[in-house]
Amino acid sequence: MDLKTLKEESIFEVGGENVNYAQYFEGTSYLNMLSLEGVVIGNVTFEPGCRNHWHIHKAEKGGGQILLVTAGRGFYQEWGKPARELKPGDVVNIPAGVKHWHGAAKDSAFQHLAIEVPGEGTSTEWCEPVD
């Protein structure tokens, strides 16, 4: 799926280029924050081949992230485990403290809703780019 088709078929606005987090991505991504109250939800769109760096969602209690895949084809990988292919309808539950990355396949744009699981003392530690 190319980015133009994904944008036309997306049920959520793609949003602007993700310049605030561009340093943590290889390639171009777009971000549309759907909710900043109660539960933080962002619609993240990746151009083909774009992926974020390894990162860890930290929390003293609770926390983590849930990905709801809405369009395209991508991958998710936890440190030390094989990558998992993702397609629309897939759900990824990422506990706090798990080092991971996610992004688009080389030949497809990719989109997911990133839901921040509420917690205490939450933060994100950005690590090295994916090889």
Side-chain angles (χ1 to χ4, degrees):
M1 172 179 285
D2 63 23
L3 185 62
K4 182 180 181 215
T5 302
L6 185 144
K7 285 181 176 182
E8 291 170 355
E9 295 180 3
S10 179
I11 60 173
F12 296 105
E13 287 291 320
V14 169
E17 191 170 328
N18 189 4
V19 295
N20 291 338
Y21 291 90
Q23 65 185 330
Y24 306 118
F25 284 73
E26 299 300 318
T28 304
S29 67
Y30 303 85
L31 179 62
N32 177 17
M33 294 309 297
L34 302 176
S35 173
L36 295 172
E37 297 181 26
V39 175
V40 176
I41 304 170
N43 181 37
V44 186
T45 303
F46 301 76
E47 288 190 352
C50 175
R51 62 182 176 264
N52 53 32
H53 293 188
W54 289 100
H55 59 286
I56 304 165
H57 301 285
K58 296 186 170 193
E60 294 168 10
K61 183 178 179 183
Q65 187 178 55
I66 300 169
L67 305 179
L68 304 177
V69 180
T70 56
R73 192 168 64 86
F75 292 93
Y76 167 80
Q77 184 177 15
E78 293 181 1
W79 189 261
K81 295 183 179 179
R84 170 182 155 194
E85 186 173 12
L86 299 176
K87 60 189 180 323
D90 286 342
V91 177
V92 181
N93 287 284
I94 307 164
V98 173
K99 188 173 183 178
H100 67 283
W101 68 270
H102 33 102
K106 290 183 180 183
D107 61 350
S108 178
F110 177 64
Q111 186 177 75
H112 64 56
L113 300 182
I115 302 168
E116 293 183 25
V117 177
E120 295 175 12
T122 60
S123 64
T124 300
E125 177 185 348
W126 289 98
C127 306
E128 68 275 11
V130 177
D131 293 359

